[in-house]
Amino acid sequence: MTIAYACILFMGLLPYVAAGIAKKGFQGYDNAMPRQWLAKQTGFRARANAAQANLFESLPLFFAAVIIASVANAPQDRIDLLAMGFVLARITYLVCYVANWPTTRSIVWSFGIICVVSLFFQI
């Protein structure tokens, strides 16, 4: 397994970390209606839930970029580096979202998207 493919696996699981943060402590958590419960949350729980959604939304383009670059025989070291950059950006993004640092979060988001677009330019 390449580093980039390991990054795909990691990114596929990261949204669940955000979900866990949103449900931390399960105070009043309703497992019968989890989405309604999450919709009523505020503060860090609401931000973690929003981060979860955004993390899921970012997956298709990242997955496609890594796989297409790999199939096109782009240099593996560059694919790995850009995939790791994306992962680092998305972890930092989650931290910034939960901590309520919107400007830093947007900057970090931009870095992540640059990594993904750059993967396509390796083809």
Side-chain angles (χ1 to χ4, degrees):
M1 176 184 296
T2 67
I3 291 171
Y5 286 174
C7 289
I8 287 176
L9 175 60
F10 181 85
M11 285 307 305
L13 299 173
L14 187 60
Y16 299 107
V17 173
I21 294 169
K23 297 173 185 176
K24 183 180 179 241
F26 297 101
Q27 298 159 342
Y29 179 71
D30 182 1
N31 196 41
M33 304 288 258
R35 292 181 188 227
Q36 288 180 352
W37 180 84
L38 281 167
K40 295 176 187 173
Q41 300 309 300
T42 60
F44 82 91
R45 291 179 196 280
R47 291 190 301 274
N49 189 45
Q52 171 191 227
N54 189 276
L55 288 166
F56 273 123
E57 292 162 0
S58 71
L59 294 181
L61 189 61
F62 173 65
F63 289 178
V66 169
I67 293 167
I68 291 168
S70 295
V71 169
N73 292 319
Q76 190 62 50
D77 60 334
R78 289 188 195 152
I79 297 170
D80 291 342
L81 184 64
L82 290 166
M84 289 186 299
F86 180 78
V87 168
L88 179 61
R90 299 309 283 172
I91 291 169
T92 306
Y93 175 87
L94 174 57
V95 170
C96 291
Y97 218 135
V98 172
N100 200 22
W101 301 333
T103 302
T104 306
R105 182 185 83 219
S106 294
I107 292 167
V108 169
W109 179 90
S110 297
F111 179 75
I113 199 72
I114 287 168
C115 288
V116 171
V117 171
S118 295
L119 278 164
F120 283 103
F121 282 99
Q122 301 306 306
I123 299 170

